[in-house]
Amino acid sequence: MLKEGKFGPFETMWLLVLFCCTKLILGFPRTMIMLGGSAGWMIPIISAIPVLLGFTIIVLLLKHFPGQSIIEAGTGAAGPIIGNIAATGYLVFFIVITAMVLREFAESIKIMTLPMTPLPVIVLSFFLAAVVCVYLGLEVCARLSVVIAIPMLAVIVLIVILICREYNFNYLFPLLGKGPQKLLLWGMIKCSNYSEIIFAGLVINSIGGWQQTFKTGIKAIFLSILVSAMITAVIIMTFNSQMAEEFYLPLFRLTKEITIGRFFQRVEAVFIIIWTLVGLLYCTLGLYAATAIFARMLNASDYKPLVPAMAMIILTVAFLPHDMKAAVVLDSEIIRVYSWLISFAVPLIILLIAVIKGYKPKFKRK
Amino acid sequence: MVRSRIGCLFLSISLILTGCWDSNEVDDMAYVISLGLDQGTHNKLQVSMLIAIPKNITEGGGKSASGTEGKSKNPGSETSEVVTVETPTITAGFNMINAFISREISLAHLKAIVFSEKIARAGVKDFLDYFERDREVRSTASVIVARGTAEEFLRSLKPVLETNPSKYIELTANASSYTSFIPKTSIKKFIAATLSYDEQAFAVMGGINKQALHIEEPIPLKDTFRRRPDSELPNEGEYLPGNVPRKGDVERELMGTAIFDGDRMVGEFNALETSVMLMLRGDFHRNFWSIIDPGKKRQFVAIDFRQAKAPLIKVSRRGNQVKIKVTLHLEGSIMEIQSNIQYERQKQTRILEKSIAGYISAIAERTIKIAQQEYKADVFMFGNRVRRTFWLQDDWEKANWKATFSKALITVDTKFLITRSGLLYKTNQVISSKSIEE
C-alpha cells in the first residue's frame, strides 16, 4: 500500500478543479465553439450529465472496496488479468494527457512569451519542476493546488470583469448554435474533457473514503463545468463565434483585449505567470497519477523510484507529435473524444462484474 | 534542507534561463507606432512605418533627427521617423527595414494601421491575417483609411501639443468619445466584422490638409460631402477629411467613416452621418452639433448631444422580409442660441426638441438609405439584432443578412429631450437704439 499522506476536502476540491480546468488555458474554448457555434458554451453544461454519472459509477465501485483505490478495486472485482488491463488503460491515459498538455503548454509559452527559446529547454525546465514536486509528495501537491487554484480563479473572475465592456450578448444567438442534436451529441462525447476526475478514485485513501470523495468530487465537477461554460460564453461574447474559432489560445487572446485607459494595457504578461503555475501543477498531478498507478500495478510500497522512468516516458511521448498542430489534434480530436471509454466505461464494466460476482457495498469501520 | 536547496536551484535557473534567448533590451528595439500600407509599384505592397525616437521624446522633441531625406524637419516631427519599403509581405518589410535601421523592429506599441484609399478599395484581406496572427500587435490599434497615400499620411504627423507621437495618435483616434465625428475603431473589431455574418467593417477616414483652405474664400460645393439640401450654410460635419476650412500647423485630419463590404471599401460617411451611425449602434458618446434654428433662417442653435440610453431596436421577420423599427433616445444641453429666441422657456423648448428630433430622424433615415442602396453594408449592427430571431446558426448563415440588408424596411423615430440650458435661465434681447422701436 502506497503512503500518500492525507488532505482535506478543500484541498481535494481545488486539486480536482485545477486538474479539470487547465485545458481552458489551451484550446478547450476553441473546440467548444467549433463544435457548438454560438451555443458552444452549452456543451460543457450538457457534459455535466455523463460526467456526474461516470463519477457516481467510480464512487459506487469504490464503495464496494473500502480502503482501496480504483486500481486495487479493479483487480479485486475482475481478477488480476482484467484488473491490470484496466489499470494499463488508466496508465496510458495519464501518460498521454500529461505528455500532450506538457507539449501544448510549452508550445503556448513559446508563442506567448519566449519565441526564441528552444522548445526542449522550455519542456525540460517545466517538467523538471514537476518531477521535483512529485518527489515532494501528493500532500504537498494538494496544498500547492490551493495556493495556485485560488489566484487562478481570481484571475478568471478578473478577466471576466475587466473585459465586460467588450461583451455583445447578441453573439450568443442563434441560441441553439449548430443545432440541438449536435449540442447533445458533442455534450455527451466531450465528457472526456473531465476524464481527469478519475484521479479522485486513485487517491481516495488520502481524501478520506468514498463519502468524502463523492461530496468533494461533485462540487469540483460543478465548479469546473461552471468555469468552463462561463469562459467559453465570455469568449463568444467578446469576439463572435466565427472569429473565436480561429484562435489557438482563446483565453490568452481574451486577455490581450483588456484595456483600461491609456495606461492599463497589455496585461497578459501578468496572467501568463499564473497560467504557467497551473500548467506546472497539471503536469505534476499527471506524472504523479501515472507513477502511482504503475506502483500499484507492481504492488510497490513506494512510488518515488519509478518517477525518473515515468518522467522519461512522458517526455518521450511529449516529443512524439512532429509539430504543434499534431499535438493539438491528438489531444482535442482523439483523447478528448474517446477518453471517456477509459475513465467512465471501464469502471462501469468493473462495477458490473463486481455486482455480478456478488460483491456488496461495504462501509469501512472507523 | 537538500530538497529546499534543489528547489532554490531550479527556481534560480528558471529565472535566468529566459535571458539566454528571449531577452529584449528596450533600447535595442525600434518601436513602430503607425503602420501604413500602400499598393506597391514594383512589388505587392509598400509598407511605411512611423517609428518613435524615444531619445527625442524624453528631451521634449526639440532636437532634429537624422535620416529624413536631407530635409529639415519641423519641431515635433523629430520624435518620429517614417521609413518605407516595397515588399511582398508585411513581415518581409521588417527584414528590409532592418537592412538600414540599427534596431530590431517591434510592433508592441502599434497604435494605428493606415490603409491607403486605393488599397482599401481593392481589398485588404491579404494583409489582415498578419494583424491577427502576430503576438506583438495590439488588438486595440485603430484602423484608418487615408485619402491619398498612407505614406504621405504618416509623414504628415506633426503633433504640436504633444512631444510623444504615440500619445498624439492615441488621443486623436479617441476623439470619438467627445466629437463623434469619427468612429472608435480597433483592428480586432475590424477583423471580427469582416468575418461575421451580421455586420460590415468600417474605419476612420483620414486626410491631409495641404495648405489649409482659405477661410476667407467661399467653400466650393464639391469640397463638402453630401451637404444637406435644406441649408445654405454647410454643417461642420459635412467636410471631407483634408478639406476642413482652417489654418494651423497640423496637417492631418480625421473626419468621417470608411465603409467596407467584406474587406473592400465601398464608400464613406461624412462626420454628420458618422455621428448618426454611432447613435444607431449605441456607441455615441457626445457631440456638439449646429442645428438650423427652427425660428430664424441662417441662424443656428448649438446642442451638446448625448445618448440618453441605448437605441431600442425592434425586429420583426417573416422569412427573408425584415422590418426594423429603431427608437433613438437622445438628450442634450443648449450650448449656443444665435437668434436670441428664448428656447429655455418650456413651450419653445418643446418646439426646438421636436424640430431636432425630426432633423435627426431624417438624417438617420437618409444615412441608412445610403448604406442600403449605395453601399449595401450594414454598419449599424442591425444584423446583430436580426440574428436573435433565428434558432439555428445554419439558418442564420443561409439567410445571408449582408445581402438581404438592402431590402429590409427600416424606420427611425427619435426621442429628444433638452435637459439643461447651460448657465443661462433665459435669453434677453440685445438692446440697441433701433431694437425698442422694432
Side-chain angles (χ1 to χ4, degrees):
Chain A
M1 186 73 75
L2 287 181
K3 286 177 186 170
E4 292 173 311
K6 295 267 178 200
F7 42 86
F10 189 65
E11 285 89 352
T12 311
M13 191 186 79
W14 287 115
L15 190 133
L16 293 175
V17 169
L18 261 185
F19 215 10
C20 290
C21 286
T22 304
K23 62 189 86 59
L24 276 176
I25 301 161
L26 301 170
F28 172 85
R30 180 197 61 241
T31 315
M32 296 302 105
I33 296 164
M34 282 169 81
L35 297 174
S38 53
W41 60 277
M42 286 186 196
I43 295 179
I45 295 173
I46 296 166
S47 294
I49 302 161
V51 175
L52 286 171
L53 209 68
F55 184 65
T56 312
I57 290 165
I58 293 169
V59 175
L60 273 174
L61 174 65
L62 295 170
K63 202 175 159 184
H64 285 76
F65 301 92
Q68 293 181 18
S69 76
I70 197 159
I71 308 295
E72 287 99 18
T75 317
I81 295 171
I82 295 175
N84 277 326
I85 290 170
T88 311
Y90 305 142
L91 177 68
V92 170
F93 167 71
F94 277 110
I95 288 174
V96 176
I97 57 158
T98 311
M100 287 310 112
V101 167
L102 173 66
R103 176 67 184 270
E104 284 182 61
F105 244 98
E107 297 277 7
S108 307
I109 289 169
K110 202 167 160 60
I111 290 170
M112 291 189 287
T113 50
L114 306 173
M116 301 305 289
T117 308
L119 186 71
V121 173
I122 301 173
V123 171
L124 278 174
S125 53
F126 209 67
F127 204 57
L128 276 175
V131 170
V132 172
C133 288
V134 172
Y135 267 115
L136 293 175
L138 182 64
E139 203 173 322
V140 174
C141 296
R143 311 241 182 272
L144 192 66
S145 68
V146 178
V147 177
I148 296 172
I150 293 173
M152 164 76 177
L153 204 71
V155 157
I156 286 176
V157 172
L158 200 68
I159 292 170
V160 170
I161 294 168
L162 291 179
I163 204 78
C164 66
R165 287 195 308 177
E166 298 288 320
Y167 293 169
N168 183 344
F169 287 93
N170 292 322
Y171 288 152
L172 294 176
F173 293 89
L175 209 58
L176 293 178
K178 296 200 171 170
Q181 297 95 329
K182 280 187 183 172
L183 289 178
L184 275 171
L185 179 73
W186 285 115
M188 293 295 163
I189 290 173
K190 284 292 175 177
C191 68
S192 299
N193 280 318
Y194 304 94
S195 288
E196 286 92 340
I197 201 75
I198 198 173
F199 186 74
L202 192 70
V203 294
I204 188 165
N205 294 325
S206 302
I207 300 168
W210 69 266
Q211 291 104 326
Q212 202 61 44
T213 307
F214 187 67
K215 273 184 204 167
T216 46
I218 295 287
K219 279 182 201 166
I221 290 168
F222 272 118
L223 194 59
S224 305
I225 279 165
L226 182 76
V227 173
S228 312
M230 184 179 70
I231 287 292
T232 312
V234 164
I235 288 167
I236 295 170
M237 287 192 292
T238 309
F239 298 100
N240 73 36
S241 53
Q242 283 80 31
M243 193 180 188
E245 65 183 34
E246 286 190 338
F247 302 141
Y248 170 56
L249 299 165
L251 194 60
F252 172 68
R253 193 62 184 70
L254 193 72
T255 55
K256 278 187 82 174
E257 293 302 313
I258 297 171
T259 306
I260 299 169
R262 288 183 53 246
F263 182 75
F264 200 65
Q265 297 184 5
R266 297 302 295 253
V267 289
E268 62 267 24
V270 179
F271 301 117
I272 289 170
I273 297 167
I274 305 281
W275 292 346
T276 311
L277 291 173
V278 172
L280 170 69
L281 196 78
Y282 186 96
C283 291
T284 305
L285 294 174
L287 176 62
Y288 177 83
T291 316
I293 291 169
F294 197 40
R296 285 197 165 98
M297 284 168 74
L298 298 175
N299 280 326
S301 57
D302 192 7
Y303 67 91
K304 283 176 189 169
L306 301 171
V307 174
M310 198 53 70
M312 280 306 294
I313 292 169
I314 290 174
L315 272 177
T316 312
V317 176
F319 282 106
L320 282 180
H322 54 85
D323 59 14
M324 182 189 82
K325 179 81 181 171
V328 173
V329 168
L330 183 64
D331 186 7
S332 63
E333 292 178 23
I334 298 171
I335 301 170
R336 298 298 172 187
V337 172
Y338 300 107
S339 68
W340 65 272
L341 290 169
I342 291 172
S343 56
F344 302 133
V346 170
L348 176 67
I349 294 165
I350 293 171
L351 177 67
L352 289 175
I353 294 170
V355 172
I356 292 164
K357 280 189 175 178
Y359 285 99
K360 284 182 181 169
K362 290 171 191 168
F363 294 91
K364 196 181 178 184
R365 283 179 192 170
K366 285 184 182 175
Chain B
M1 194 64 186
V2 176
R3 282 177 182 175
S4 58
R5 276 181 189 171
I6 292 170
C8 286
L9 182 72
F10 278 119
L11 192 68
S12 50
I13 287 173
S14 66
L15 285 175
I16 57 172
L17 212 55
T18 54
C20 299
W21 291 277
D22 279 293
S23 64
N24 283 324
E25 296 296 332
V26 176
D27 61 351
D28 288 349
M29 310 298 289
Y31 289 105
V32 177
I33 303 167
S34 285
L35 191 79
L37 301 177
D38 288 297
Q39 271 190 344
T41 43
H42 308 294
N43 214 323
K44 181 157 183 165
L45 197 61
Q46 202 175 76
V47 178
S48 302
M49 294 179 197
L50 190 133
I51 301 168
I53 306 175
K55 187 169 83 73
N56 290 354
I57 295 170
T58 51
E59 287 174 5
K63 284 192 174 182
S64 63
S66 57
T68 338
E69 300 163 357
K71 288 178 188 171
S72 63
K73 300 186 86 183
N74 291 323
S77 63
E78 306 86 19
T79 52
S80 61
E81 168 72 13
V82 177
V83 287
T84 306
V85 284
E86 290 256 341
T87 166
T89 61
I90 297 168
T91 29
F94 299 154
N95 279 347
M96 293 171 78
I97 284 169
N98 272 126
F100 58 93
I101 289 248
S102 58
R103 298 181 177 192
E104 190 186 341
I105 297 290
S106 168
L107 264 67
H109 291 276
L110 185 72
K111 301 285 179 196
I113 297 153
V114 183
F115 295 109
S116 69
E117 191 175 343
K118 199 176 170 189
I119 214 168
R121 287 194 184 270
V124 295
K125 76 169 165 43
D126 295 359
F127 319 112
L128 292 180
D129 184 75
Y130 170 73
F131 299 112
E132 216 183 346
R133 201 179 290 275
D134 188 75
R135 75 187 178 97
E136 277 192 345
V137 175
R138 290 178 185 224
S139 54
T140 49
S142 308
V143 184
I144 299 169
V145 172
R147 203 175 292 288
T149 67
E151 186 202 344
E152 263 185 327
F153 188 76
L154 294 193
R155 288 192 190 280
S156 71
L157 179 87
K158 286 171 189 166
V160 175
L161 297 177
E162 308 298 335
T163 52
N164 184 346
S166 170
K167 188 176 176 186
Y168 171 79
I169 294 168
E170 206 166 346
L171 289 178
T172 49
N174 281 338
S176 167
S177 60
Y178 53 89
T179 72
S180 295
F181 274 2
I182 55 168
K184 188 168 172 59
T185 58
S186 70
I187 189 67
K188 170 235 160 182
K189 284 188 177 164
F190 187 86
I191 296 171
T194 59
L195 296 176
S196 88
Y197 288 87
D198 45 298
E199 59 178 315
Q200 296 282 18
F202 56 85
V204 176
M205 270 311 290
I208 303 165
N209 203 321
K210 289 280 187 198
Q211 39 86 53
L213 271 181
H214 291 295
I215 294 170
E216 297 82 1
E217 288 174 13
I219 303 139
L221 192 67
K222 68 179 174 56
D223 291 334
T224 63
F225 184 67
R226 266 203 294 276
R227 206 160 134 180
R228 292 166 306 168
D230 57 340
S231 171
E232 41 191 294
L233 298 173
N235 182 289
E236 63 272 26
E238 291 175 329
Y239 297 105
L240 290 171
N243 284 334
V244 175
R246 66 179 178 91
K247 287 178 179 176
D249 279 337
V250 184
E251 285 183 342
R252 64 154 67 180
E253 286 170 3
L254 299 177
M255 229 11 187
T257 309
I259 309 294
F260 285 73
D261 178 3
D263 70 318
R264 285 170 203 272
M265 181 180 161
V266 286
E268 59 187 286
F269 282 162
N270 64 26
L272 205 65
E273 290 156 353
T274 300
S275 295
V276 171
M277 177 189 94
L278 295 174
M279 285 175 188
L280 291 164
R281 289 173 63 92
D283 292 339
F284 182 83
H285 293 283
R286 188 185 186 191
N287 198 359
F288 300 116
W289 211 342
S290 306
I291 306 286
I292 306 156
D293 194 319
K296 255 185 187 175
K297 257 190 169 186
R298 287 184 71 89
Q299 297 282 41
F300 287 93
V301 178
I303 302 287
D304 176 3
F305 280 98
R306 285 162 200 271
Q307 198 142 27
K309 57 180 178 182
L312 184 71
I313 300 173
K314 284 184 180 168
V315 177
S316 57
R317 183 177 66 87
R318 235 181 236 175
N320 271 350
Q321 188 55 253
V322 179
K323 280 183 187 175
I324 300 171
K325 193 184 173 213
V326 188
T327 311
L328 291 173
H329 294 273
L330 302 171
E331 61 177 33
S333 309
I334 298 172
M335 300 300 288
E336 274 181 73
I337 302 170
Q338 292 179 340
S339 63
N340 271 15
I341 296 171
Q342 290 199 8
Y343 284 119
E344 300 88 351
R345 293 165 108 189
Q346 272 199 328
K347 196 179 165 190
Q348 294 295 337
T349 305
R350 297 289 93 83
I351 293 169
L352 187 62
E353 282 173 353
K354 204 177 163 189
S355 163
I356 291 172
Y359 175 69
I360 289 172
S361 294
I363 294 181
E365 282 180 353
R366 193 186 64 170
T367 307
I368 292 167
K369 205 172 166 187
I370 292 164
Q372 282 186 300
Q373 291 174 0
E374 283 184 44
Y375 306 149
K376 300 187 190 326
D378 173 16
V379 283
F380 311 102
M381 290 179 86
F382 292 142
N384 217 258
R385 299 300 177 101
V386 178
R387 68 186 288 165
R388 292 170 75 150
T389 62
F390 289 83
W391 284 103
L392 298 177
Q393 199 164 320
D394 276 354
D395 294 344
W396 162 238
E397 288 169 11
K398 278 177 198 157
N400 194 3
W401 170 250
K402 284 189 174 180
T404 51
F405 164 67
S406 54
K407 291 169 197 158
L409 295 169
I410 304 167
T411 53
V412 181
D413 182 29
T414 307
K415 310 270 183 218
F416 177 67
L417 274 180
I418 292 175
T419 49
R420 275 162 286 272
S421 58
L423 291 175
L424 294 186
Y425 182 72
K426 61 177 283 206
T427 314
N428 282 336
Q429 296 291 318
V430 173
I431 309 296
S432 69
S433 55
K434 286 179 185 174
S435 59
I436 297 168
E437 288 169 16
E438 282 171 4

